[in-house]
Amino acid sequence: QIRESATLTRDVLEQHFNDLKGTLKKLLDERLMSLLQEVDAIEQESIKPLDECQKLIEHGVSTADDLLRDGESAVNGDVGQQNEKLCSFTKKALHIQLDSLPEVPSLVDVPCLSAQLDDCLLTILRNQIFRHGTVASRPPVQLEEFVEKPGGILVRWCKVDDDFTPQDYRLQYRKSTASHFEDVYVGSETEFIVLHIDPNVDYQFRVCARGDGRQEWSPWSVPQFGRTTLVPHEWTTGLEGYSLSSRRNIALRNDSQSCGVLYSKAPTYFCGQTLTFRQVLSGQLIETVGQPDRRDSLGVCVEQQNGYDSLQRDKAVCISTNGTVFVNGKEMTNQLPAVTSGSTVTFDMEVVHLGPSSNEGGSFKLRVTISSNNREVVFDWVLDQCCVSLYFGCSFSYPGWKVLVF
């Protein structure tokens, strides 16, 4: 583990600093090009009037040279042509203003380019570079526990660095045959149920954290493998009145007039586990569009019994949408909050051992805990047979209810 993580850390550092070198060179080249273009622009703009002034002066000097040659020719010419040449020279001289010069900019108005390069940039960069990056020998969070769930794994992690104040956690996983991790949770909780897990297949998990008020994530925890041997919960297919998702773990009460109880495909709920009903789409847990009915219910039962329109019957425990708890069809006095949009309902059961004769003569007892909206009821469910695996079910009279089970 030490050698593997050290090799990986070296590779990450080398890649990061090589990327920084390339980026810094690109930024410096771009800045140099920008300054050179600025020099070119100032040079072209400032030299233009001076070039024009120079051209005017050179034109005046050339005109004066031509006039001087004409004067010399008139003086040195034949006597017969002398008067004519002198007359032409005089007229030409009168039309040329040899005593005028173009306005030349004063020296203080002429730009003198120079480059101002502040050496403090090197100091700033040096200080920033020397503080850039750290090597952590121990990540501030580590994976703590994996709990098998039907078709899922409950992953728990904990903070191991007392000086680290976490703001968010980030959990990733991948199948053992996959090459890349993918995000499965980002938030402030220290546990998360990863669903859609294939049974008896190894998955690798890792977690990191983000410090309070910071943007960068901490180093990853040591990757660990987890798996579940429990098959996922599935609703029974083919019941008119309910539409199922592709994985058959989400049931939607459609607008069919048919009524009845939708059961699980098999008795996959075992005592000692937690059975949870929730809705997975918009963050809501159980969502209803239609109005509730007194027969609506969620719960568990010993066996599938067709012909009923509710789980409020013998050999079943359930909670109705108004929060009433039914045990073997009888209403309990304890009341839970109504099941509405945003609710969570969980069932926990354990076998109560009454002694050597507890399973003789028709008495088998389960300790049942039903939780809804941070409240719970606890009671003993007496059955006439030994039963450690149960069916689950739901019944809704009106369309719009959508329930995920896991």
Side-chain angles (χ1 to χ4, degrees), residues 391-405:
Y391 290 87
F392 56 86
C394 69
S395 61
F396 300 105
S397 301
Y398 296 97
W401 292 85
K402 182 182 291 185
V403 181
L404 162 73
V405 61

Side-chain angles (χ1 to χ4, degrees), residues 146-313:
F146 298 100
V147 180
E148 292 185 65
K149 296 290 182 179
I153 300 175
L154 172 61
V155 184
R156 291 193 176 104
W157 54 89
C158 62
K159 183 170 72 79
V160 295
D161 185 351
D162 294 335
D163 297 328
F164 183 80
T165 303
Q167 174 180 300
D168 291 307
Y169 298 99
R170 181 182 180 187
L171 177 66
Q172 289 189 337
Y173 83 128
R174 68 180 178 184
K175 225 173 191 178
S176 57
T177 56
S179 57
H180 299 290
F181 283 92
E182 60 180 273
D183 287 339
V184 69
Y185 173 77
V186 175
S188 59
E189 300 296 328
T190 55
E191 65 177 36
F192 183 75
I193 296 179
V194 183
L195 297 177
H196 304 157
I197 295 293
D198 296 330
N200 302 309
V201 174
D202 286 331
Y203 287 81
Q204 196 174 31
F205 297 85
R206 65 182 185 181
V207 67
C208 65
R210 181 162 50 197
D212 190 19
R214 303 184 69 87
Q215 296 297 321
E216 69 276 6
W217 292 99
S218 74
W220 289 106
S221 66
V222 178
Q224 295 188 39
F225 285 97
R227 64 159 50 195
T228 182
T229 59
L230 305 176
V231 297
H233 292 317
E234 294 183 9
W235 298 102
T236 298
T237 59
L239 181 63
E240 187 179 355
Y242 292 90
S243 303
L244 305 183
S245 64
S246 60
R247 289 181 175 265
R248 297 179 293 280
N249 58 346
I250 301 176
L252 170 66
R253 180 64 169 95
N254 56 36
D255 55 4
S256 171
Q257 297 299 317
S258 176
C259 293
V261 179
L262 177 65
Y263 293 102
S264 59
K265 180 180 178 181
T268 53
Y269 173 56
F270 291 85
C271 293
Q273 299 177 357
T274 297
L275 178 71
T276 303
F277 296 97
R278 101 178 169 193
Q279 198 270 347
V280 293
L281 294 180
S282 55
Q284 303 277 326
L285 299 185
I286 293 180
E287 179 179 290
T288 178
V289 178
Q291 59 183 1
D293 187 275
R294 63 179 181 83
R295 298 168 297 173
D296 294 347
S297 48
L298 294 160
V300 297
C301 55
V302 175
E303 58 191 8
Q304 298 179 348
Q305 292 185 10
N306 298 324
Y308 289 89
D309 59 0
S310 175
L311 278 175
Q312 300 166 17
R313 60 168 177 79

